[in-house]
Amino acid sequence: MAGLMLLASSLQAAADLRVCNKTSSTIGLAIGYKMKGEWISEGWWNIDQNKCETVLKGVLVNNRYLIHAIDYDKGGQWNGEAFMCTQDLEFKIKGTHECVARGFERTGFFEIDTAGKQDYTVQLTDQE
């Protein structure tokens, strides 16, 4: 989305995947990750402005995670070309196939490459 940027960093903190909302809006967040060979999508976390949320606790075992976020106040999204299943209410969905046929929405996520780090923080920001 125009007007929004993503910053990612690795911190020397606890081994978790954290997402920080550095915007002036409240955002809704969904994530995607692989567990035992199967993709899982999970959401929603509501993250207030200038707050962080730990979305996966513990040592990160994958290099690739997916994120989709919605700016509740200004509209717009952080999305990408990796499609996963979502729904409007809280969810945890196994698999990425036939989302609509299974009663879900097909939603674009963007990829985060943690470069093998055991902990990672993603910062969603307004573009200046």
Side-chain angles (χ1 to χ4, degrees), residues 58-86:
V59 174
L60 301 178
V61 295
N62 298 315
N63 288 337
R64 182 177 179 221
Y65 295 88
L66 302 173
I67 291 180
H68 175 83
I70 299 169
D71 184 321
Y72 288 143
D73 299 329
K74 296 178 194 161
Q77 302 177 30
W78 291 262
N79 56 19
E81 299 298 318
F83 290 94
M84 301 201 73
C85 303
T86 63

Side-chain angles (χ1 to χ4, degrees), residues 19 26-33 41-48 53-55 66-72 76-79 84-93 104-110 124:
V19 177
T26 299
I27 63 169
L29 178 79
I31 63 168
Y33 55 92
S41 54
E42 190 172 350
W44 294 98
W45 286 266
N46 294 323
I47 307 175
D48 291 330
E53 184 75 37
T54 299
V55 294
L66 302 173
I67 291 180
H68 175 83
I70 299 169
D71 184 321
Y72 288 143
Q77 302 177 30
W78 291 262
N79 56 19
M84 301 201 73
C85 303
T86 63
Q87 64 184 24
D88 289 339
L89 303 175
E90 184 177 333
F91 66 90
K92 185 172 185 176
I93 302 169
F104 305 118
E105 294 177 35
R106 184 174 181 260
T107 304
F109 285 61
F110 68 88
L124 299 175

